[in-house]
C-alpha cells in the first residue's frame, strides 16, 4: 500500500493506468477507494487514475475532528502536488462531489474537467448532520448499516449483487468513527449555493434516478448554474456502482 505523509495524517492512495490524462476519484462518506473499482477496470486503459481514501476512511489515518470542506480540498491538492499533477479531471461522489465543487471554485487552474455525482451544493442540514454525528459517537456505525444499504442501493441491486454490496457495507462499518464525525462536521457547514456561478471548469453532473439523498433536481441545479451537462442513470446514491457500465461510459464520453 502507498501513503502520503502529511503534517496531521496520512493519505492512502493508489495509481492505476500508465498512459493518458490524469483522472482523480474522491469517494463518498463511509466508503474507501474501492468504491471506484468498476470505473478503474473500465478506464485505466485511457487515463492515469489516482484514487485515495479520504482522511479518516479506509487505510488513511484520522486527524482529530472536526474537518472543514477546505481541509478535504487541501488533501486533494496535496496529492496533486506530490505527483506533480498540474491539471487533472476530478470526479467526486456525495461529499466527494462537494470536494469537486470546492476545487472548481478555489483551484480551477488545477482542473481540466469536473464530474459531480450524487451530490448537491448543500447536502442535508447542519441539524441533520449534528444528529447523525451524535448517534454515531454514541453507538458507532454498525446500527446504520441496514438504512445505509437502502439509501445507497435499489432493492434489486441489493439482491442481485449481494457480494459487492456486502463489501461496500463492510468498508462503511470499518470507517473510523473519528473520521466519520469529522466529515459530518464538514457536511454540516458546507453550502456552496452562492459560489456555483464561479465554476467555469467544464462540468458533468451525474444523478441516480432513485437517489433520495441527492435527487436529480440537486444535480440539475448544479448543471444549470455552471453551464454544465446532466446525465441521469438508474440507481440510488452509489450510482457509480449500481450503474457501473453506464457511469463509466458517461465519464469516457465527457472526458475524451
Amino acid at each position: 500500500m502507498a501513503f502520503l505523509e502529511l503534517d496531521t495524517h496520512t493519505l492512502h492512495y493508489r495509481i492505476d493506468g500508465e498512459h493518458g490524462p490524469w483522472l482523480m476519484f474522491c469517494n463518498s462518506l463511509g466508503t474507501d477507494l474501492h468504491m471506484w473499482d468498476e470505473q478503474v477496470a473500465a478506464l485505466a486503459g485511457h487515463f492515469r487514475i489516482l484514487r485515495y481514501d479520504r482522511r479518516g476512511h479506509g487505510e488513511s489515518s484520522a486527524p482529530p475532528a472536526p474537518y472543514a470542506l477546505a481541509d478535504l480540498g487541501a488533501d486533494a491538492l496535496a496529492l496533486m502536488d506530490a505527483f506533480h499533477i498540474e491539471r487533472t479531471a476530478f470526479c467526486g461522489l456525495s461529499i466527494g462531489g462537494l470536494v469537486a465543487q470546492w476545487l472548481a471554485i478555489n483551484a480551477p487552474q488545477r482542473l481540466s474537467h469536473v464530474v459531480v455525482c450524487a451530490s448537491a451544493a448543500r447536502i442535508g442540514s447542519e441539524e441533520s448532520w449534528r444528529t447523525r454525528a451524535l448517534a454515531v459517537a454514541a453507538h458507532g456505525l454498525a446500527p446504520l448499516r441496514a438504512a445505509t444499504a437502502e439509501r445507497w442501493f435499489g432493492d434489486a441491486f441489493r439482491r442481485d449483487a449481494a457480494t459487492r454490496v456486502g463489501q461496500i457495507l463492510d468498508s462503511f462499518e470499518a470507517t473510523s468513527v473519528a473520521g466519520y464525525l469529522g466529515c459530518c462536521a464538514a457536511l454540516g457547514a458546507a453550502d456552496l449555493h452562492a459560489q456555483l456561478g464561479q465554476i467555469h471548469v467544464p462540468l458533468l453532473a451525474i444523478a441516480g434516478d432513485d437517489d433520495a439523498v441527492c435527487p436529480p433536481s440537486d444535480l440539475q441545479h448544479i448543471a444549470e448554474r455552471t453551464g454544465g451537462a446532466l446525465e441521469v442513470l438508474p440507481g440510488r446514491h452509489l450510482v457509480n456502482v449500481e450503474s457501473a457500465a453506464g457511469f463509466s461510459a458517461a465519464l469516457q464520453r465527457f472526458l475524451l
Side-chain angles (χ1 to χ4, degrees), residues 21 23 43 47 89-90 112-115 250-256:
L23 168 59
L43 299 173
F47 300 92
F90 194 94
S112 63
H113 304 74
V114 62
V115 185
L251 284 185
Q252 187 166 336
R253 285 194 302 271
F254 176 62
L255 299 177
L256 296 179

Side-chain angles (χ1 to χ4, degrees), residues 69 94 97-99 101-102 105 116-124 186-197 199 213-215 217-223 225-226:
L69 184 58
S94 197
L98 278 166
V99 174
Q101 293 169 73
W102 185 92
I105 293 163
V116 179
C117 318
S119 191
R122 175 166 185 75
I123 301 175
L187 284 160
D191 187 345
L192 300 178
H193 276 106
Q195 297 168 277
L196 285 178
I199 296 178
V213 181
C214 295
S217 58
D218 287 341
L219 283 303
Q220 181 178 7
H221 176 72
I222 293 171
R225 289 289 309 280
T226 62

Side-chain angles (χ1 to χ4, degrees), residues 36-244:
W36 302 108
D37 282 352
E38 290 87 349
Q39 280 67 57
V40 171
L43 299 173
H46 303 281
F47 300 92
R48 288 176 291 173
I49 297 174
L50 171 58
R51 50 184 166 151
Y52 66 101
D53 291 331
R54 179 180 299 101
R55 57 170 68 191
H57 288 63
E59 300 296 331
S60 294
S61 65
Y67 312 149
L69 184 58
D71 297 325
L72 307 182
D75 285 348
L77 290 170
L79 282 160
M80 293 181 208
D81 291 343
F83 295 102
H84 308 289
I85 299 172
E86 294 185 7
R87 295 177 79 226
T88 181
F90 194 94
C91 176
L93 190 144
S94 197
I95 188 174
L98 278 166
V99 174
Q101 293 169 73
W102 185 92
L103 289 168
I105 293 163
N106 292 280
Q109 73 281 3
R110 305 299 296 272
L111 302 184
S112 63
H113 304 74
V114 62
V115 185
V116 179
C117 318
S119 191
R122 175 166 185 75
I123 301 175
S125 66
E126 187 173 1
E127 181 180 356
S128 68
W129 288 111
R130 186 184 304 114
T131 300
R132 173 87 63 87
L134 288 171
V136 171
H139 305 293
L141 288 164
L144 300 182
R145 181 176 177 123
T148 298
E150 291 186 7
R151 282 196 302 270
W152 284 2
F153 305 109
D155 297 345
F157 189 81
R158 293 202 310 277
R159 181 187 66 241
D160 297 339
T163 299
R164 179 66 170 132
V165 169
Q167 292 169 344
I168 292 173
L169 294 174
D170 287 346
S171 72
F172 171 78
E173 277 197 62
T175 301
S176 156
V177 168
Y180 194 93
L181 297 180
C183 289
C184 284
L187 284 160
D191 187 345
L192 300 178
H193 276 106
Q195 297 168 277
L196 285 178
Q198 300 175 30
I199 296 178
H200 302 294
V201 179
L203 182 144
L204 173 65
I206 301 179
D209 65 355
D210 194 29
D211 184 1
V213 181
C214 295
S217 58
D218 287 341
L219 283 303
Q220 181 178 7
H221 176 72
I222 293 171
E224 289 175 349
R225 289 289 309 280
T226 62
L230 171 68
E231 184 131 6
V232 181
L233 298 173
R236 292 188 181 170
H237 197 50
L238 292 197
V239 63
N240 73 299
V241 179
E242 192 163 352
S243 277

